[in-house]
Amino acid sequence: MNNRTFAMIKPDAVRNGHMGKILDRIIEADFKILGAKLIRMTKAQAEGFYAIHRERPFFQELTTFMSSGKTMVLALEKDDAVSAWRDTIGATNPSEAADGTIRKDFATSLGENAVHGADSDENSVIEIGFFFTNNELISNQ
Ligand code: IDP
Ligand code: MG
């Protein structure tokens, strides 16, 4: 069990003014923020990050959206971080997301669903490494 996960506050949520409220949810759910930065992904970066979905019909829509504005990328720490964060964000489709989840409260559609969460320990390591170097992760406080 890994105690780290990778999260993003996606461009729709930043554009809609929800970044602060989502950071509050992260802190209230007792995640420690090891690293955070505001970036604007290039299309090529978005295509690299989501390469696993390249054969899906929504790949162009997804990577255009993810490079359309600011994204906050985050490395989070908590016991059983991957599943704890997936529970906090809710189902991919906001119409199926449970009450009290971030996607239920802030997502606008299946594609523009406010936040990202790594889906496994293995992918959380790969995804954190995609945006952070080790010395950008601060775990001693
Ligand atoms: P996840 O983000 O809950 O892990 P995935 O199935 O890994 O969901 O899909 C990655 C992202 O691709 C979703 O968060 C969403 O932004 C987008 N996406 C997934 N399915 C669709 C779709 O059918 N249409 C448009 N965008 C989609
Ligand atoms: Mg996924």
Side-chain angles (χ1 to χ4, degrees):
M1 185 177 84
N2 196 336
N3 64 351
R4 289 182 176 184
T5 192
F6 177 73
M8 296 192 281
I9 304 175
K10 294 184 178 183
D12 60 315
V14 177
R15 246 190 311 270
N16 293 333
H18 296 143
M19 190 166 65
K21 283 171 277 188
I22 292 171
L23 285 170
D24 271 349
R25 298 283 184 102
I26 291 171
I27 292 161
E28 280 165 14
D30 284 331
F31 290 92
K32 288 203 170 75
I33 299 174
L34 303 180
K37 49 182 139 174
L38 197 58
I39 63 163
R40 171 139 187 198
M41 246 182 254
T42 64
K43 182 76 157 62
Q45 256 180 320
E47 288 169 358
F49 182 82
Y50 281 113
I52 194 169
H53 294 312
R54 65 186 174 278
E55 305 300 337
R56 303 278 198 98
F58 57 83
F59 184 66
Q60 282 309 319
E61 177 188 335
L62 173 62
T63 54
T64 298
F65 161 60
M66 288 303 295
S67 55
S68 70
K70 294 176 188 174
T71 292
M72 177 163 275
V73 293
L74 297 135
L76 303 180
E77 184 175 79
K78 186 179 175 166
D79 286 349
D80 203 4
V82 168
S83 63
W85 177 240
R86 296 292 303 200
D87 289 348
T88 304
I89 68 177
T92 307
N93 190 337
S95 69
E96 292 162 13
D99 285 349
T101 61
I102 291 173
R103 282 169 166 168
K104 173 77 174 190
D105 293 341
F106 300 115
T108 38
S109 66
L110 171 58
E112 305 204 357
N113 57 2
V115 282
H116 168 82
D119 63 5
S120 66
D121 287 349
E122 188 188 11
N123 284 336
S124 73
V125 172
I126 294 167
E127 293 179 5
I128 288 172
F130 199 91
F131 292 106
F132 293 98
T133 61
N134 266 337
N135 64 11
E136 289 177 312
L137 304 175
I138 304 161
S139 57
N140 62 345
Q141 55 185 306

